Structure formats: C-alpha cells, structure tokens
Amino acid sequence: MRALRILLVIVVVLGGIFVAVDRVAVYFAESEVEGRVQVTGATIGSTDVSIKGFPFLTQVAGGRLDEVDVEITGIETDANGRRIRISRMNAALHEVKLADGYSSATAARATGTAVISYEDLTKVASDGVVVEYGGNGKVKVTGTVDILGNPLSRSVLSTVTLVDGHTIKVHADKVPGEGISGLEGLVREKTDFEREVGGLPSGLKLQRIQPTADGLEISVTGTDVQLAG
C-alpha cells in the first residue's frame, strides 16, 4: 500500500508539472501568434489571441488546434476610396491547421462579429453627413441639401442592409420631397450611400448587419480563414 501511495503521489506531481508546462506553452504560443496576425490590404491596431482546448502540447504535435479565439482592434482599410475603420472584430476559429513551421495557420471554419462605430461610418458617408443611431434598428442620417441656393438641413431614418455579402447600403426610408421630380434624387445623393467593406481576415465574409446603440454590428462567417502568415 505504501508503494501504491508513493506511485499515486508521483503521478499527481508529474501531472501537475505537465499541466504547468502545457499552460506556459499556451501563453508563449498566444503571444507569438498575436505578433503574427496579418490582414491583407489593411492595418490593424492590436490583437488578442486565446487558444482553447487541453492539452495544448498534443494539439501542437498533431499540427492542429481545436479552437482559437481572436480579437482584433482597429482594422483600417479602404472603402470606395475612403478609409474605413472597424472598431473591433471577434472571431472563433475552429480546426486551425498549423503550417510552415507554425508560422502560418488556417481555420477550417470561423464565426464572429465586427463592429463599426457611427463616428467611423460618418467618415465614409457623403460629405457633410452625420450618421447616428436612430433607434429600433435604424440609423439617423443628418445632412444639408442646397435647394435653389437655400441650405436645407434635415434628418432621416434609414435602413442598413448588406449587398452581395461585402457592401454596406444605407437607404433612407423617406426623404423630404419624395416623389417630386429631381428633388428626391438631390436629397438622396446626401442621405443614401453604399460602401464596400474590406479589411477582414482572408476567408471571412459579412453575413448579417444590425444597427445597435454602440454601432453597426456585423456577423461574419467563413471557411479556410487565414489567421497568421
């Protein structure tokens, strides 16, 4: 019995050492990946990587991680000739395959959420236009239109939709002068606009968009998503 107790103690101690080593390895791996995350055609502010699953070392030995959660803050990219900023993007990447001596990784599938603030959306809207949250899943667009030399400032409630999975479309539900030849078009030149959104990791696509008090919340999904390179 004494020998059995000693053996159990040794097993527990070795198990604790293995867990500690495994967690240290995860920490260093997360730090290394954070420095390698790249987004084609965009600049990024900061990244936070969390590698899920246990044990980590056996996953690395097999060249595949069960799940990696990534948060990228401050993605900036071009949108129809203007610079657009995605405030933050969170993604859960599954079945992440490691390659090239662990210098790159590709996820078989991914889901996540990206957020664009109204301040950043205003910067890519029509000149002189301000975009805010309008409540009930709408945005409020405020701008000034010159009508026969008289500036007319108005706010309209607009619906935001996705076009072809990569373009944000803002379209006023109703505008002043609606139905009047020439006037409606003049107003909509200010209130309505479309902006293509790039700057997401390769393989991710926009799935659904919802205006919230904090900004445009966009669901993203993807396959064969490149995490680092």
Side-chain angles (χ1 to χ4, degrees), residues 37-58:
V37 172
Q38 299 176 4
V39 179
T40 302
T43 60
I44 60 177
S46 62
T47 60
D48 183 75
V49 174
S50 178
I51 300 174
K52 306 297 184 181
F54 178 84
F56 166 71
L57 292 174
T58 57

Side-chain angles (χ1 to χ4, degrees), residues 29-40 44 47 49 51 65 68 70 72 93 96-107 200-203 224-229:
E30 289 172 344
S31 299
E32 182 68 18
V33 172
E34 286 172 357
R36 292 178 178 271
V37 172
Q38 299 176 4
V39 179
T40 302
I44 60 177
T47 60
V49 174
I51 300 174
L65 305 178
V68 178
V70 180
I72 304 177
L93 301 103
V96 182
K97 184 178 181 180
L98 306 173
D100 300 329
Y102 312 123
S103 64
S104 66
T106 302
L200 294 177
S202 177
D224 297 327
V225 178
Q226 185 175 348
L227 174 63

Side-chain angles (χ1 to χ4, degrees), residues 107-160:
R109 54 190 176 85
T111 58
T113 303
V115 176
I116 299 176
S117 71
Y118 294 114
E119 179 181 0
D120 290 320
L121 186 60
T122 294
K123 292 177 181 178
V124 297
S126 304
D127 292 336
V129 162
V130 175
V131 184
E132 303 170 285
Y133 183 55
N136 297 319
K138 302 284 186 178
V139 298
K140 182 173 73 171
V141 180
T142 303
T144 301
V145 180
D146 190 286
I147 301 177
L148 300 177
N150 298 311
L152 178 66
S153 180
R154 287 292 185 271
S155 296
V156 297
L157 289 178
S158 301
T159 299
V160 183

